[in-house]
Amino acid sequence: WPNDLDVPFTDFCDLVFSLSAGVQTTIGTHAVGVLAQTERGSKSAEALALEVESGKSVIVVAGDGSIIRVVPLVALRVDRADGHVFVQVAKWEDSEMKPACQLPGLKRERHELAKDAIQRLFDTKLKFLAEHVTMGSSEGETLEKPSREHRVHTRYIKSICSAELKPDAFVRAPVCGTKTCELMFGGRISASIAIATSALDTDDANTLSMLHATPVVVSGNDGDASRHLYAWLSPEMVSALSGGAKDHVLNAWVSTLALPEGISTVETFEFSTEQETERI
């Protein structure tokens, strides 16, 4: 609520969002130019310029001369009957696996409503899930932190839309395999899992063992430039893997995952609310 010292949603960053696309682009282009002067030759400025042109983010110069990137996001939280949450655990891009435990989502386009962005998410990344959830309420969240990719202070304005997996849901999706150097028979484990586990303490090793038993599904097709990996995890596991303190466990798990190959012959995993929860 407004008071004598502060009126919510009226700082410069918030006000820029209410301006026309052309004015946003002009302000953003100026801010990127300032950044380019301070970081000559940086690819970050080039990438930010593309975001400004496409309307995926707003870049401004704050009163103290610092650069602030403001990104409107939409995220989808799908809960299962047993309380497990559908989360993204990694992204395959530039021929490498990039771990990140977070809700599925994407950047909102300029003047795009949250419900339209969620539909775009279903139409692109989550086609296999689109018909099997019941949408619920939504809430807003604002988070500020440095962007790992662009290395500038970023304010994420996120709309989180809640949904539930339908009781009769029976979803088929391509499932990731495990990188192996030997078959997992007779008590033997893959070399990649052995290496990933060797540097962990007992608690982390037990957590990793639980994760190895968790099916991981993937969106997209073989040959796509980027693909997203998802799993059903307990809220406690999501909290642990997304907070940063267990990045080494998440990295160890993701490092053992292998994308399915081929399109027509890809192995699929079927998850249903009627199956035993330990298997899904």
Side-chain angles (χ1 to χ4, degrees):
W1 295 97
N3 55 48
D4 292 340
L5 300 177
D6 180 51
V7 178
F9 310 115
T10 59
D11 74 0
F12 184 51
C13 294
D14 295 322
L15 292 176
V16 169
F17 266 108
S18 67
L19 302 177
S20 67
V23 175
Q24 287 182 9
T25 301
T26 299
I27 293 174
T29 300
H30 168 69
V32 172
V34 173
L35 179 65
Q37 290 296 320
T38 57
E39 298 186 17
R40 293 184 180 274
S42 171
K43 293 184 178 180
S44 176
E46 298 178 5
L48 287 174
L50 293 176
E51 281 199 353
V52 169
E53 289 294 332
S54 64
K56 291 184 177 180
S57 69
V58 171
I59 318 293
V60 302
V61 180
D64 60 1
S66 62
I67 305 298
I68 300 179
R69 172 175 171 255
V70 186
V71 181
L73 303 172
V74 67
L76 177 68
R77 179 188 173 99
V78 181
D79 291 289
R80 205 172 56 181
D82 63 353
H84 280 51
V85 183
F86 190 72
V87 294
Q88 177 181 318
V89 298
K91 179 180 181 180
W92 171 262
E93 189 175 44
D94 298 328
S95 299
E96 67 174 306
M97 202 73 80
K98 301 177 181 180
C101 184
Q102 60 192 23
L103 295 176
L106 40 70
K107 296 175 184 176
R108 290 168 60 178
E109 296 178 348
R110 185 176 283 141
H111 304 312
E112 183 180 38
L113 297 177
K115 66 179 184 66
D116 295 328
I118 286 293
Q119 186 59 54
R120 183 161 57 89
L121 179 64
F122 281 131
D123 291 341
T124 54
K125 301 177 183 178
L126 299 179
K127 291 182 179 180
F128 57 82
L129 197 62
E131 298 179 359
H132 303 286
V133 300
T134 301
M135 297 302 299
S137 60
S138 62
E139 60 182 6
E141 177 183 282
T142 299
L143 173 66
E144 296 197 19
K145 64 178 183 178
S147 167
R148 292 183 179 180
E149 180 179 359
H150 299 294
R151 295 180 298 173
V152 295
H153 187 77
T154 301
R155 177 182 300 175
Y156 297 96
I157 303 176
K158 183 186 297 184
S159 296
I160 303 176
C161 300
S162 299
E164 293 183 355
L165 187 68
K166 292 180 179 179
D168 58 347
F170 195 80
V171 185
R172 300 188 67 195
V175 63
C176 287
T178 301
K179 297 177 183 177
T180 58
C181 293
E182 51 184 303
L183 295 177
M184 299 179 67
F185 294 140
R188 290 180 292 173
I189 63 174
S190 71
S192 57
I193 293 178
I195 294 172
T197 307
S198 61
L200 303 178
D201 61 29
T202 302
D203 289 341
D204 287 344
N206 289 337
T207 299
L208 183 60
S209 178
M210 293 173 58
L211 292 172
H212 282 313
T214 303
V216 178
V217 297
V218 58
S219 64
N221 298 309
D222 186 34
D224 287 352
S226 65
R227 303 180 72 178
H228 298 80
L229 286 67
Y230 306 95
W232 289 100
L233 300 177
S234 68
E236 295 77 16
M237 185 70 79
V238 173
S239 179
L241 296 182
S242 62
K246 297 296 182 180
D247 279 353
H248 57 293
V249 178
L250 177 63
N251 293 341
W253 176 36
V254 170
S255 70
T256 67
L257 299 176
L259 291 179
E261 297 181 357
I263 298 177
S264 60
T265 60
V266 66
E267 179 184 3
T268 60
F269 180 78
E270 300 174 343
F271 56 91
S272 164
T273 53
E274 297 179 355
Q275 291 177 284
E276 295 180 4
T277 57
E278 290 80 9
R279 295 193 64 249
I280 58 175

